[in-house]
Amino acid sequence: MDDIFVYYTKLPQGVTEVITPCLGGYTLYLDENISDEKRFQAYMHALGHIHNKDFEKHDVQIIEAQAH
């Protein structure tokens, strides 16, 4: 698996994580204003996208539907 670089930052209301491919892996931003439990859930959600190779797909609506 590629490296995952994790940062805590303020994200817009309702957004718990943002993940982007980067050189050598992925950069994951987690909302600093949510509980540890929600942050863990957001991290696991992001890992699912990585394992499913969702960044190679094109339809975001289908990707999110399959992730939930």
Side-chain angles (χ1 to χ4, degrees), residues 38-63:
K38 294 274 188 196
R39 219 176 280 139
F40 177 75
Q41 291 171 355
Y43 180 83
M44 295 306 292
H45 179 86
L47 281 184
H49 285 301
I50 293 169
H51 287 294
N52 291 328
K53 300 185 186 305
D54 289 341
F55 292 95
E56 298 173 11
K57 300 174 185 173
H58 299 284
D59 190 327
V60 173
Q61 299 303 325
I62 292 174
I63 292 168

PDB file of all heavy atoms in Angstrom, residues 38-63:
ATOM      1  N   LYS A  38     -15.661   9.888  15.330  1.00  0.00           N
ATOM      2  CA  LYS A  38     -16.021  10.322  13.975  1.00  0.00           C
ATOM      3  C   LYS A  38     -14.787  10.417  13.085  1.00  0.00           C
ATOM      4  O   LYS A  38     -14.832  10.089  11.903  1.00  0.00           O
ATOM      5  CB  LYS A  38     -16.727  11.677  14.015  1.00  0.00           C
ATOM      6  CG  LYS A  38     -18.063  11.661  14.680  1.00  0.00           C
ATOM      7  CD  LYS A  38     -19.117  11.283  13.699  1.00  0.00           C
ATOM      8  CE  LYS A  38     -20.474  11.483  14.365  1.00  0.00           C
ATOM      9  NZ  LYS A  38     -21.515  10.798  13.649  1.00  0.00           N
ATOM     10  N   ARG A  39     -13.672  10.854  13.661  1.00  0.00           N
ATOM     11  CA  ARG A  39     -12.426  10.947  12.901  1.00  0.00           C
ATOM     12  C   ARG A  39     -11.967   9.561  12.459  1.00  0.00           C
ATOM     13  O   ARG A  39     -11.531   9.369  11.330  1.00  0.00           O
ATOM     14  CB  ARG A  39     -11.353  11.627  13.752  1.00  0.00           C
ATOM     15  CG  ARG A  39     -10.489  12.551  12.947  1.00  0.00           C
ATOM     16  CD  ARG A  39      -9.501  13.286  13.805  1.00  0.00           C
ATOM     17  NE  ARG A  39     -10.148  14.415  14.463  1.00  0.00           N
ATOM     18  CZ  ARG A  39      -9.944  14.760  15.713  1.00  0.00           C
ATOM     19  NH1 ARG A  39      -9.116  14.096  16.471  1.00  0.00           N
ATOM     20  NH2 ARG A  39     -10.552  15.805  16.222  1.00  0.00           N
ATOM     21  N   PHE A  40     -12.096   8.578  13.360  1.00  0.00           N
ATOM     22  CA  PHE A  40     -11.739   7.201  13.018  1.00  0.00           C
ATOM     23  C   PHE A  40     -12.640   6.683  11.894  1.00  0.00           C
ATOM     24  O   PHE A  40     -12.155   6.047  10.956  1.00  0.00           O
ATOM     25  CB  PHE A  40     -11.841   6.298  14.253  1.00  0.00           C
ATOM     26  CG  PHE A  40     -11.557   4.852  13.958  1.00  0.00           C
ATOM     27  CD1 PHE A  40     -10.258   4.417  13.750  1.00  0.00           C
ATOM     28  CD2 PHE A  40     -12.589   3.932  13.878  1.00  0.00           C
ATOM     29  CE1 PHE A  40      -9.978   3.093  13.461  1.00  0.00           C
ATOM     30  CE2 PHE A  40     -12.332   2.602  13.595  1.00  0.00           C
ATOM     31  CZ  PHE A  40     -11.026   2.180  13.384  1.00  0.00           C
ATOM     32  N   GLN A  41     -13.928   6.956  11.981  1.00  0.00           N
ATOM     33  CA  GLN A  41     -14.861   6.533  10.931  1.00  0.00           C
ATOM     34  C   GLN A  41     -14.502   7.179   9.593  1.00  0.00           C
ATOM     35  O   GLN A  41     -14.541   6.531   8.546  1.00  0.00           O
ATOM     36  CB  GLN A  41     -16.297   6.884  11.318  1.00  0.00           C
ATOM     37  CG  GLN A  41     -16.823   6.069  12.475  1.00  0.00           C
ATOM     38  CD  GLN A  41     -18.157   6.577  12.992  1.00  0.00           C
ATOM     39  OE1 GLN A  41     -18.673   7.609  12.562  1.00  0.00           O
ATOM     40  NE2 GLN A  41     -18.713   5.849  13.954  1.00  0.00           N
ATOM     41  N   ALA A  42     -14.148   8.453   9.631  1.00  0.00           N
ATOM     42  CA  ALA A  42     -13.756   9.160   8.416  1.00  0.00           C
ATOM     43  C   ALA A  42     -12.476   8.558   7.832  1.00  0.00           C
ATOM     44  O   ALA A  42     -12.356   8.395   6.614  1.00  0.00           O
ATOM     45  CB  ALA A  42     -13.559  10.647   8.705  1.00  0.00           C
ATOM     46  N   TYR A  43     -11.530   8.210   8.698  1.00  0.00           N
ATOM     47  CA  TYR A  43     -10.278   7.589   8.256  1.00  0.00           C
ATOM     48  C   TYR A  43     -10.565   6.246   7.588  1.00  0.00           C
ATOM     49  O   TYR A  43     -10.044   5.951   6.512  1.00  0.00           O
ATOM     50  CB  TYR A  43      -9.341   7.411   9.455  1.00  0.00           C
ATOM     51  CG  TYR A  43      -8.028   6.779   9.102  1.00  0.00           C
ATOM     52  CD1 TYR A  43      -6.987   7.535   8.589  1.00  0.00           C
ATOM     53  CD2 TYR A  43      -7.815   5.412   9.283  1.00  0.00           C
ATOM     54  CE1 TYR A  43      -5.767   6.965   8.259  1.00  0.00           C
ATOM     55  CE2 TYR A  43      -6.601   4.826   8.957  1.00  0.00           C
ATOM     56  CZ  TYR A  43      -5.585   5.611   8.444  1.00  0.00           C
ATOM     57  OH  TYR A  43      -4.394   5.026   8.105  1.00  0.00           O
ATOM     58  N   MET A  44     -11.417   5.438   8.201  1.00  0.00           N
ATOM     59  CA  MET A  44     -11.751   4.131   7.642  1.00  0.00           C
ATOM     60  C   MET A  44     -12.490   4.279   6.311  1.00  0.00           C
ATOM     61  O   MET A  44     -12.279   3.503   5.379  1.00  0.00           O
ATOM     62  CB  MET A  44     -12.578   3.314   8.642  1.00  0.00           C
ATOM     63  CG  MET A  44     -11.815   2.971   9.911  1.00  0.00           C
ATOM     64  SD  MET A  44     -10.225   2.131   9.607  1.00  0.00           S
ATOM     65  CE  MET A  44     -10.804   0.566   8.976  1.00  0.00           C
ATOM     66  N   HIS A  45     -13.337   5.291   6.209  1.00  0.00           N
ATOM     67  CA  HIS A  45     -14.040   5.570   4.960  1.00  0.00           C
ATOM     68  C   HIS A  45     -13.026   5.884   3.850  1.00  0.00           C
ATOM     69  O   HIS A  45     -13.118   5.355   2.743  1.00  0.00           O
ATOM     70  CB  HIS A  45     -15.000   6.743   5.166  1.00  0.00           C
ATOM     71  CG  HIS A  45     -15.764   7.129   3.944  1.00  0.00           C
ATOM     72  ND1 HIS A  45     -16.941   6.527   3.579  1.00  0.00           N
ATOM     73  CD2 HIS A  45     -15.510   8.065   3.002  1.00  0.00           C
ATOM     74  CE1 HIS A  45     -17.369   7.070   2.456  1.00  0.00           C
ATOM     75  NE2 HIS A  45     -16.519   8.019   2.094  1.00  0.00           N
ATOM     76  N   ALA A  46     -12.063   6.713   4.180  1.00  0.00           N
ATOM     77  CA  ALA A  46     -11.024   7.071   3.206  1.00  0.00           C
ATOM     78  C   ALA A  46     -10.208   5.852   2.800  1.00  0.00           C
ATOM     79  O   ALA A  46      -9.891   5.667   1.622  1.00  0.00           O
ATOM     80  CB  ALA A  46     -10.115   8.156   3.779  1.00  0.00           C
ATOM     81  N   LEU A  47      -9.867   4.990   3.766  1.00  0.00           N
ATOM     82  CA  LEU A  47      -9.122   3.770   3.442  1.00  0.00           C
ATOM     83  C   LEU A  47      -9.902   2.886   2.474  1.00  0.00           C
ATOM     84  O   LEU A  47      -9.321   2.258   1.584  1.00  0.00           O
ATOM     85  CB  LEU A  47      -8.819   2.965   4.713  1.00  0.00           C
ATOM     86  CG  LEU A  47      -7.668   3.429   5.578  1.00  0.00           C
ATOM     87  CD1 LEU A  47      -7.463   2.447   6.732  1.00  0.00           C
ATOM     88  CD2 LEU A  47      -6.386   3.570   4.785  1.00  0.00           C
ATOM     89  N   GLY A  48     -11.213   2.842   2.647  1.00  0.00           N
ATOM     90  CA  GLY A  48     -12.055   2.075   1.724  1.00  0.00           C
ATOM     91  C   GLY A  48     -11.914   2.577   0.303  1.00  0.00           C
ATOM     92  O   GLY A  48     -11.835   1.786  -0.642  1.00  0.00           O
ATOM     93  N   HIS A  49     -11.872   3.909   0.129  1.00  0.00           N
ATOM     94  CA  HIS A  49     -11.691   4.476  -1.202  1.00  0.00           C
ATOM     95  C   HIS A  49     -10.339   4.078  -1.794  1.00  0.00           C
ATOM     96  O   HIS A  49     -10.241   3.770  -2.984  1.00  0.00           O
ATOM     97  CB  HIS A  49     -11.812   5.996  -1.166  1.00  0.00           C
ATOM     98  CG  HIS A  49     -13.211   6.484  -1.021  1.00  0.00           C
ATOM     99  ND1 HIS A  49     -14.217   6.191  -1.918  1.00  0.00           N
ATOM    100  CD2 HIS A  49     -13.793   7.259  -0.070  1.00  0.00           C
ATOM    101  CE1 HIS A  49     -15.338   6.765  -1.541  1.00  0.00           C
ATOM    102  NE2 HIS A  49     -15.117   7.414  -0.407  1.00  0.00           N
ATOM    103  N   ILE A  50      -9.315   4.057  -0.964  1.00  0.00           N
ATOM    104  CA  ILE A  50      -7.989   3.674  -1.447  1.00  0.00           C
ATOM    105  C   ILE A  50      -7.990   2.208  -1.866  1.00  0.00           C
ATOM    106  O   ILE A  50      -7.549   1.851  -2.964  1.00  0.00           O
ATOM    107  CB  ILE A  50      -6.914   3.935  -0.371  1.00  0.00           C
ATOM    108  CG1 ILE A  50      -6.769   5.438  -0.137  1.00  0.00           C
ATOM    109  CG2 ILE A  50      -5.579   3.309  -0.781  1.00  0.00           C
ATOM    110  CD1 ILE A  50      -5.931   5.793   1.080  1.00  0.00           C
ATOM    111  N   HIS A  51      -8.499   1.336  -1.001  1.00  0.00           N
ATOM    112  CA  HIS A  51      -8.507  -0.110  -1.288  1.00  0.00           C
ATOM    113  C   HIS A  51      -9.359  -0.446  -2.508  1.00  0.00           C
ATOM    114  O   HIS A  51      -9.044  -1.391  -3.234  1.00  0.00           O
ATOM    115  CB  HIS A  51      -8.995  -0.892  -0.074  1.00  0.00           C
ATOM    116  CG  HIS A  51      -8.006  -0.944   1.029  1.00  0.00           C
ATOM    117  ND1 HIS A  51      -6.789  -1.596   0.940  1.00  0.00           N
ATOM    118  CD2 HIS A  51      -8.032  -0.406   2.269  1.00  0.00           C
ATOM    119  CE1 HIS A  51      -6.122  -1.465   2.063  1.00  0.00           C
ATOM    120  NE2 HIS A  51      -6.851  -0.732   2.889  1.00  0.00           N
ATOM    121  N   ASN A  52     -10.433   0.324  -2.735  1.00  0.00           N
ATOM    122  CA  ASN A  52     -11.309   0.072  -3.883  1.00  0.00           C
ATOM    123  C   ASN A  52     -10.826   0.740  -5.161  1.00  0.00           C
ATOM    124  O   ASN A  52     -11.512   0.691  -6.179  1.00  0.00           O
ATOM    125  CB  ASN A  52     -12.735   0.548  -3.569  1.00  0.00           C
ATOM    126  CG  ASN A  52     -13.392  -0.298  -2.520  1.00  0.00           C
ATOM    127  OD1 ASN A  52     -13.135  -1.494  -2.416  1.00  0.00           O
ATOM    128  ND2 ASN A  52     -14.242   0.311  -1.711  1.00  0.00           N
ATOM    129  N   LYS A  53      -9.670   1.396  -5.079  1.00  0.00           N
ATOM    130  CA  LYS A  53      -9.087   2.099  -6.231  1.00  0.00           C
ATOM    131  C   LYS A  53     -10.073   3.107  -6.833  1.00  0.00           C
ATOM    132  O   LYS A  53     -10.192   3.259  -8.037  1.00  0.00           O
ATOM    133  CB  LYS A  53      -8.613   1.100  -7.285  1.00  0.00           C
ATOM    134  CG  LYS A  53      -7.558   0.140  -6.775  1.00  0.00           C
ATOM    135  CD  LYS A  53      -7.039  -0.737  -7.878  1.00  0.00           C
ATOM    136  CE  LYS A  53      -6.096  -1.808  -7.402  1.00  0.00           C
ATOM    137  NZ  LYS A  53      -4.965  -1.468  -6.654  1.00  0.00           N
ATOM    138  N   ASP A  54     -10.787   3.799  -5.962  1.00  0.00           N
ATOM    139  CA  ASP A  54     -11.800   4.748  -6.406  1.00  0.00           C
ATOM    140  C   ASP A  54     -11.225   5.934  -7.162  1.00  0.00           C
ATOM    141  O   ASP A  54     -11.940   6.585  -7.925  1.00  0.00           O
ATOM    142  CB  ASP A  54     -12.624   5.244  -5.210  1.00  0.00           C
ATOM    143  CG  ASP A  54     -13.547   4.167  -4.672  1.00  0.00           C
ATOM    144  OD1 ASP A  54     -13.831   3.195  -5.406  1.00  0.00           O
ATOM    145  OD2 ASP A  54     -13.977   4.287  -3.513  1.00  0.00           O
ATOM    146  N   PHE A  55      -9.957   6.220  -6.987  1.00  0.00           N
ATOM    147  CA  PHE A  55      -9.366   7.365  -7.681  1.00  0.00           C
ATOM    148  C   PHE A  55      -9.107   7.069  -9.150  1.00  0.00           C
ATOM    149  O   PHE A  55      -8.765   7.962  -9.909  1.00  0.00           O
ATOM    150  CB  PHE A  55      -8.088   7.820  -6.967  1.00  0.00           C
ATOM    151  CG  PHE A  55      -8.389   8.409  -5.621  1.00  0.00           C
ATOM    152  CD1 PHE A  55      -8.316   7.630  -4.487  1.00  0.00           C
ATOM    153  CD2 PHE A  55      -8.800   9.715  -5.504  1.00  0.00           C
ATOM    154  CE1 PHE A  55      -8.627   8.151  -3.249  1.00  0.00           C
ATOM    155  CE2 PHE A  55      -9.127  10.254  -4.275  1.00  0.00           C
ATOM    156  CZ  PHE A  55      -9.038   9.474  -3.140  1.00  0.00           C
ATOM    157  N   GLU A  56      -9.314   5.817  -9.534  1.00  0.00           N
ATOM    158  CA  GLU A  56      -9.204   5.440 -10.942  1.00  0.00           C
ATOM    159  C   GLU A  56     -10.572   5.467 -11.621  1.00  0.00           C
ATOM    160  O   GLU A  56     -10.676   5.248 -12.816  1.00  0.00           O
ATOM    161  CB  GLU A  56      -8.595   4.043 -11.055  1.00  0.00           C
ATOM    162  CG  GLU A  56      -7.190   3.966 -10.478  1.00  0.00           C
ATOM    163  CD  GLU A  56      -6.654   2.545 -10.424  1.00  0.00           C
ATOM    164  OE1 GLU A  56      -7.258   1.640 -11.011  1.00  0.00           O
ATOM    165  OE2 GLU A  56      -5.615   2.355  -9.776  1.00  0.00           O
ATOM    166  N   LYS A  57     -11.630   5.720 -10.859  1.00  0.00           N
ATOM    167  CA  LYS A  57     -12.992   5.742 -11.377  1.00  0.00           C
ATOM    168  C   LYS A  57     -13.415   7.181 -11.640  1.00  0.00           C
ATOM    169  O   LYS A  57     -12.769   8.123 -11.188  1.00  0.00           O
ATOM    170  CB  LYS A  57     -13.935   5.085 -10.368  1.00  0.00           C
ATOM    171  CG  LYS A  57     -13.569   3.632 -10.087  1.00  0.00           C
ATOM    172  CD  LYS A  57     -14.418   3.055  -8.975  1.00  0.00           C
ATOM    173  CE  LYS A  57     -13.957   1.650  -8.626  1.00  0.00           C
ATOM    174  NZ  LYS A  57     -14.668   1.126  -7.436  1.00  0.00           N
ATOM    175  N   HIS A  58     -14.546   7.335 -12.350  1.00  0.00           N
ATOM    176  CA  HIS A  58     -14.927   8.675 -12.775  1.00  0.00           C
ATOM    177  C   HIS A  58     -16.248   9.183 -12.206  1.00  0.00           C
ATOM    178  O   HIS A  58     -16.454  10.388 -12.153  1.00  0.00           O
ATOM    179  CB  HIS A  58     -15.003   8.739 -14.305  1.00  0.00           C
ATOM    180  CG  HIS A  58     -13.692   8.433 -14.947  1.00  0.00           C
ATOM    181  ND1 HIS A  58     -12.649   9.323 -14.989  1.00  0.00           N
ATOM    182  CD2 HIS A  58     -13.231   7.303 -15.531  1.00  0.00           C
ATOM    183  CE1 HIS A  58     -11.610   8.770 -15.587  1.00  0.00           C
ATOM    184  NE2 HIS A  58     -11.932   7.556 -15.925  1.00  0.00           N
ATOM    185  N   ASP A  59     -17.147   8.323 -11.783  1.00  0.00           N
ATOM    186  CA  ASP A  59     -18.468   8.764 -11.340  1.00  0.00           C
ATOM    187  C   ASP A  59     -18.526   8.823  -9.814  1.00  0.00           C
ATOM    188  O   ASP A  59     -18.662   7.804  -9.143  1.00  0.00           O
ATOM    189  CB  ASP A  59     -19.539   7.823 -11.877  1.00  0.00           C
ATOM    190  CG  ASP A  59     -20.949   8.369 -11.656  1.00  0.00           C
ATOM    191  OD1 ASP A  59     -21.180   9.059 -10.641  1.00  0.00           O
ATOM    192  OD2 ASP A  59     -21.793   8.097 -12.510  1.00  0.00           O
ATOM    193  N   VAL A  60     -18.442  10.007  -9.257  1.00  0.00           N
ATOM    194  CA  VAL A  60     -18.392  10.203  -7.801  1.00  0.00           C
ATOM    195  C   VAL A  60     -19.660   9.684  -7.142  1.00  0.00           C
ATOM    196  O   VAL A  60     -19.604   9.107  -6.047  1.00  0.00           O
ATOM    197  CB  VAL A  60     -18.183  11.698  -7.472  1.00  0.00           C
ATOM    198  CG1 VAL A  60     -18.310  11.947  -5.989  1.00  0.00           C
ATOM    199  CG2 VAL A  60     -16.843  12.170  -7.990  1.00  0.00           C
ATOM    200  N   GLN A  61     -20.805   9.876  -7.764  1.00  0.00           N
ATOM    201  CA  GLN A  61     -22.067   9.423  -7.161  1.00  0.00           C
ATOM    202  C   GLN A  61     -22.074   7.909  -6.980  1.00  0.00           C
ATOM    203  O   GLN A  61     -22.492   7.408  -5.936  1.00  0.00           O
ATOM    204  CB  GLN A  61     -23.263   9.857  -8.029  1.00  0.00           C
ATOM    205  CG  GLN A  61     -23.390  11.353  -8.179  1.00  0.00           C
ATOM    206  CD  GLN A  61     -23.510  12.083  -6.841  1.00  0.00           C
ATOM    207  OE1 GLN A  61     -24.112  11.578  -5.901  1.00  0.00           O
ATOM    208  NE2 GLN A  61     -22.936  13.255  -6.744  1.00  0.00           N
ATOM    209  N   ILE A  62     -21.605   7.174  -7.948  1.00  0.00           N
ATOM    210  CA  ILE A  62     -21.540   5.703  -7.844  1.00  0.00           C
ATOM    211  C   ILE A  62     -20.513   5.301  -6.805  1.00  0.00           C
ATOM    212  O   ILE A  62     -20.745   4.413  -5.984  1.00  0.00           O
ATOM    213  CB  ILE A  62     -21.218   5.070  -9.221  1.00  0.00           C
ATOM    214  CG1 ILE A  62     -22.396   5.264 -10.169  1.00  0.00           C
ATOM    215  CG2 ILE A  62     -20.885   3.585  -9.058  1.00  0.00           C
ATOM    216  CD1 ILE A  62     -22.136   4.811 -11.594  1.00  0.00           C
ATOM    217  N   ILE A  63     -19.368   5.965  -6.783  1.00  0.00           N
ATOM    218  CA  ILE A  63     -18.313   5.658  -5.803  1.00  0.00           C
ATOM    219  C   ILE A  63     -18.862   5.807  -4.390  1.00  0.00           C
ATOM    220  O   ILE A  63     -18.712   4.914  -3.553  1.00  0.00           O
ATOM    221  CB  ILE A  63     -17.086   6.579  -6.008  1.00  0.00           C
ATOM    222  CG1 ILE A  63     -16.389   6.247  -7.322  1.00  0.00           C
ATOM    223  CG2 ILE A  63     -16.125   6.472  -4.827  1.00  0.00           C
ATOM    224  CD1 ILE A  63     -15.357   7.271  -7.744  1.00  0.00           C
TER     225      ILE A  63
END
